[in-house]
Amino acid sequence: MPRIVKNAILTCSWLLLAFSAGAQSKTLAATPPMGWNSWNHYAEKVNDATIRAQADAMVASGMRDAGYVYVNIDDTWEGTRDEKGVIHSNEKFPNMKALADYVHSKGLKLGIYSSPGAKTCAGFAGSLGHEEQDAQTYSEWDVDYLKYDLCSFGDEMAKAGSEEKAHQLMMDAYTKMHKALQKTGRPIVLSLCQYGVDSVWRWGESVGGNLWRTTGDIGDNYARMAGIGFSQAGLAKYAGPGHWNDPDMLEVGNGGMSLTEYRTHMSLWAILAAPLLAGNDLSKMTPETAQILTNRKVIAIDQDPAGIQGDRVRSEGPFEIWAKPLADGSKAVALFNREDTWMKSAMMEVNFRDLGFDGSVKVFDVWENKDLGVLEGMYKTEVPPHGVALLVVSAK
Ligand code: GLA
């Protein structure tokens, strides 16, 4: 073959490769990642059997069919490094590749956890100095998602000498892992976990994050969930396809909140286009919990292809109205009553003009699964304390 033709073919295949790599990184986390994570329910008690059981339950409960796909092992899977520095899982996870195969055989994906520091938050081996090696290992195990938790990297930052240098060090650490993951050629979602330090939403995308935690850890109680969720006002512009604000994993079904409060939790996360990572025991869900987690209309709001995060439109004391623009021109609208639970239900109203609609609109009540028909001007409804009315409003 003449050299010029050979060169042209080579150039073409490189271009194709580069193009598909680019396209791939664009489609990774095109909508907020959905799945399950071990930490909220199992913490350090997670093991191989737990993950298999949760993968089974993800399918049996209808969660997979509702869109939940990642099964994420959080902290405490890490064992020791061998003489070559390769990380091995500990006795709780005898064979990570076999576990990944099992999870994949269910039509699901596997996630794992590490830290840019020497130690993870629970004191297990982190990736400091072994970033490429670890990324390679995850890729050999066929891992699809990495949560990369700052933890003891704070020690490195403390040695930096100045806040600017510490910040740069942290950005470099995340970039390093992003590049290492890219180098494996396997599409692996990168979840930054550093609790929102240094306004991560401003730079998370630039270091390769597909999502970044914007807050400290959630707790299974209304005050903590609401404290985190409602503090997300103003962050909408930083989220979009491939890069999401992450106000932490779901607590729905863990028992510390009422069904009304869990509906509020789920509604707020959907309005925020937040990653939906369930954190309960999926094998023992009540039908009510399953109904909250798998409500197709709520999920559709979260997963809307336009990928626009919602924001607060209005607030008056404990009453807040949030809205999220959807791809078809309609808006998801949530009327939250943050009043304490000993208070009576409140009448809340939303003015359609505040939402950017002129004239009459069509309104659908999501949790009631009820078409409210064509309405003019405003809508008024009763919302219980700690509760929500979740609507989809569209031009007539
Ligand atoms: C931090 C993270 C949690 C969890 C634990 C594990 O606290 O924010 O989500 O990953 O570490 O040790």
Side-chain angles (χ1 to χ4, degrees):
M1 188 189 296
R3 219 162 92 205
I4 190 161
V5 177
K6 208 167 156 186
N7 280 344
I9 290 175
L10 266 176
T11 313
C12 276
S13 29
W14 272 114
L15 278 176
L16 259 176
L17 256 179
F19 177 75
S20 57
Q24 192 174 64
S25 61
K26 274 225 165 61
T27 51
L28 202 55
T31 58
M34 289 178 69
W36 177 90
N37 174 292
S38 59
W39 189 254
N40 284 354
H41 189 81
Y42 290 96
E44 74 289 348
K45 293 197 185 76
V46 64
N47 60 27
D48 180 280
T50 326
I51 297 299
R52 284 171 194 255
Q54 293 303 312
D56 292 348
M58 192 103 117
V59 178
S61 63
M63 291 278 286
R64 182 191 64 186
D65 293 345
Y68 294 84
V69 55
Y70 292 99
V71 179
N72 293 351
I73 308 168
D74 208 278
D75 205 352
T76 79
W77 65 266
E78 309 86 344
T80 47
R81 293 186 185 278
D82 62 23
E83 64 285 357
K84 293 201 184 101
V86 175
I87 187 86
H88 293 270
S89 47
N90 60 33
E91 63 291 346
K92 297 194 295 165
F93 291 90
N95 187 337
M96 210 51 112
K97 172 73 171 84
L99 181 57
D101 288 348
Y102 185 80
V103 168
H104 289 148
S105 77
K106 303 271 159 183
L108 299 166
K109 294 175 188 277
L110 186 70
I112 211 162
Y113 168 100
S114 190
S115 169
K119 296 268 179 230
T120 66
C121 292
F124 289 71
S127 294
L128 185 66
H130 296 276
E131 295 80 1
E132 283 211 1
Q133 225 172 6
D134 286 358
Q136 193 53 43
T137 303
Y138 306 150
S139 158
E140 280 161 20
W141 287 341
D142 284 345
V143 162
D144 307 291
Y145 185 116
L146 172 68
K147 174 172 168 184
Y148 207 40
D149 194 347
L150 195 70
C151 305
S152 70
F153 194 76
D155 299 348
E156 308 306 310
M157 290 164 68
K159 291 184 235 156
S162 74
E163 268 182 38
E164 288 72 29
K165 283 189 187 144
H167 175 69
Q168 192 57 49
L169 213 57
M170 174 170 55
M171 286 184 63
D172 292 349
Y174 280 111
T175 304
K176 196 183 243 178
M177 184 47 94
H178 166 59
K179 293 213 166 121
L181 292 175
Q182 268 195 328
K183 205 173 157 191
T184 69
R186 187 175 173 82
I188 300 178
V189 169
L190 177 58
S191 153
L192 314 188
C193 178
Q194 45 81 285
Y195 342 111
V197 171
D198 289 348
S199 307
V200 61
W201 42 89
R202 295 182 192 278
W203 50 268
E205 190 187 1
S206 73
V207 298
N210 297 114
L211 59 157
W212 44 81
R213 279 272 299 278
T214 50
T215 69
D217 290 11
I218 197 168
D220 186 19
N221 60 82
Y222 178 82
R224 184 65 184 152
M225 178 282 291
I228 285 175
F230 291 109
S231 76
Q232 303 300 292
L235 299 189
K237 63 170 180 272
Y238 301 104
H243 54 100
W244 307 100
N245 290 309
D246 173 12
D248 207 1
M249 303 162 300
L250 297 171
E251 291 282 9
V252 177
N254 274 334
M257 291 184 241
S258 68
L259 290 175
T260 297
E261 292 169 336
Y262 282 140
R263 250 174 247 126
T264 296
H265 183 10
M266 187 77 185
S267 306
L268 185 49
W269 262 236
I271 289 281
L272 293 171
L276 297 178
L277 295 167
N280 58 319
D281 178 356
L282 302 177
S283 69
K284 292 203 183 82
M285 269 196 291
T286 63
E288 290 81 8
T289 296
Q291 273 159 21
I292 293 175
L293 286 171
T294 61
N295 185 302
R296 295 296 199 278
K297 298 214 164 69
V298 182
I299 291 173
I301 292 170
D302 180 81
Q303 296 288 301
D304 183 75
I308 304 170
Q309 179 173 331
D311 215 332
R312 185 155 53 206
V313 176
R314 220 173 213 287
S315 70
E316 255 182 75
F319 307 116
E320 301 196 11
I321 295 175
W322 289 60
K324 177 186 200 286
L326 304 175
D328 66 358
S330 61
K331 283 191 175 163
V333 181
L335 283 60
F336 294 105
N337 176 0
R338 297 182 62 184
E339 197 74 84
D340 285 327
T341 39
W342 53 269
M343 300 293 283
K344 283 198 291 234
S345 289
M347 281 309 284
M348 287 187 68
E349 59 182 58
V350 55
N351 189 315
F352 302 132
R353 251 178 223 291
D354 285 352
L355 303 172
F357 291 102
D358 273 332
S360 43
V361 294
K362 286 184 285 184
V363 182
F364 186 85
D365 186 317
V366 176
W367 289 113
E368 297 295 326
N369 196 26
K370 195 168 152 200
D371 209 332
L372 302 176
V374 176
L375 302 177
E376 201 82 44
M378 56 99 133
Y379 175 64
K380 218 173 179 175
T381 189
E382 201 170 305
V383 184
H386 289 187
V388 63
L390 184 62
L391 312 170
V392 174
V393 178
S394 45
K396 202 190 133 216

